[in-house]
Amino acid sequence: PPQEQFFDQPLSYFGYDFFTDVPTTFVQATTIPIPPGYVLGPKDTIKVILFGNKNQRYTLQVTRDGDIFFPEIGPISVAGLTFLDLKKTIEQIVANQFIGTQVSVTLGSLRSIDIFVLGEANQPGMYTISSLTTLTNALFDSGGMNVTGSLRNIQLKRKGKVISTLDFYDLLLKGDTSQDLEMNQGDVIFIPPIAKTAGVAGEVVRPGIYELKEDETLGDLIRFAGNLKPKADIVDAEIRRVSDLGNGFETHTVNLNDPDNFELKHGDMLSVYPVLNNLTNVVLVSGHAQQPGFFPWKEG
């Protein structure tokens, strides 16, 4: 029977369904383990337990000047130290001041910081978050971005300068968190509008509409869509493109054997059709045969 050429099912933008459950309130993360590289700052709380010849518990808060006041020892400057350096510093001081006494150092309540989520965000505004919160934590907890926002160019701004750009596709498709930086006081997460997009439908693993960078090609689009299915017709795919005159669409036949050399334009639509449901080079045996059916044919 004839096969329908065009696909009727609507396509959705890839990646935005991760932000479908938009929170009504921003809940700070309180159960995140403290990494050794955590940098101490004002209002962090340090819990110190002495045991051995001297048994005592202290809860010490970092002052605005970056000091803690250790009873019987005095002020100790800790601002800018990592949690690992803090433990080593206090262990060394206790070993020198209290002979036969050991110490355990942990962090109590952590300081809060204020950040801004702006641009094409679901809930733009200022948020008070834990000092352990990272860029992706803040994105998920604040509700993410609208479909009009870019997933490929999320900017982290600090003191008016862009210090990092997060490509959310790296996280979703590769599990790459190398650009997931910790937030600082006054940081801004800016989500610019979505730019170049292209759609893919048919014999691919994950049909949808994908955001592309300027140098990305048809091969990148297919990889974003999870690659081709086994039944894909790779020699007769179709690109539907808005005509240069703006009076309709044009269609282009493309060979998917070399997709990395095909440049896409904004709004392109790739349709990958299945191979025809035909058998080639066969002989049909039917009727009163022991095993009726198709058998391979070759010359002679």
Side-chain angles (χ1 to χ4, degrees), residues 1-78:
Q3 293 179 240
E4 182 68 28
Q5 186 180 16
F6 295 101
F7 303 104
D8 294 329
Q9 67 272 24
L11 297 177
S12 59
Y13 284 86
F14 171 74
Y16 297 91
D17 52 351
F18 287 90
F19 307 107
T20 52
D21 298 325
V22 180
T24 56
T25 59
F26 193 99
V27 180
Q28 293 193 39
T30 57
T31 59
I32 301 175
I34 307 298
Y38 175 75
V39 179
L40 293 159
K43 294 189 177 181
D44 279 337
T45 301
I46 302 166
K47 294 185 176 182
V48 179
I49 302 175
L50 301 178
F51 56 94
N53 288 342
K54 184 178 181 65
N55 296 289
Q56 192 63 264
R57 292 172 179 263
Y58 300 115
T59 299
L60 313 174
Q61 188 176 68
V62 183
T63 65
R64 289 185 177 181
D65 296 328
D67 299 331
I68 58 172
F69 186 82
F70 202 115
E72 302 181 39
I73 294 178
I76 302 172
S77 179
V78 299

Side-chain angles (χ1 to χ4, degrees), residues 114-181:
D114 296 324
I115 67 163
F116 295 88
V117 181
L118 302 174
E120 300 298 318
N122 266 324
Q123 294 181 330
M126 186 181 77
Y127 294 94
T128 301
I129 62 174
S130 164
S131 55
L132 282 178
T133 304
T134 64
L135 175 56
T136 54
N137 293 147
L139 277 175
F140 279 109
D141 291 340
S142 63
M145 64 282 292
N146 298 317
V147 178
T148 54
S150 171
L151 289 178
R152 310 292 309 276
N153 187 30
I154 302 168
Q155 300 171 5
L156 175 59
K157 294 187 174 184
R158 185 168 296 164
K159 296 180 181 179
K161 297 182 179 180
V162 178
I163 65 165
S164 178
T165 301
L166 174 67
D167 186 345
F168 211 67
Y169 279 19
D170 286 341
L171 178 63
L172 298 180
L173 300 175
K174 304 176 186 176
D176 182 2
T177 59
S178 59
Q179 298 301 316
D180 188 18
L181 303 183

Side-chain angles (χ1 to χ4, degrees), residues 247-293:
N247 58 355
F249 290 90
E250 301 172 349
T251 59
H252 302 268
T253 300
V254 292
N255 189 323
L256 300 184
N257 280 311
D258 188 21
D260 289 319
N261 288 324
F262 189 92
E263 183 179 350
L264 290 171
K265 291 186 177 181
H266 181 41
D268 280 358
M269 175 67 197
L270 170 66
S271 297
V272 184
Y273 302 112
V275 294
L276 296 176
N277 193 19
N278 293 336
L279 286 173
T280 59
N281 294 330
V282 293
V283 172
L284 174 62
V285 178
S286 62
H288 295 278
Q290 292 283 355
Q291 289 183 318

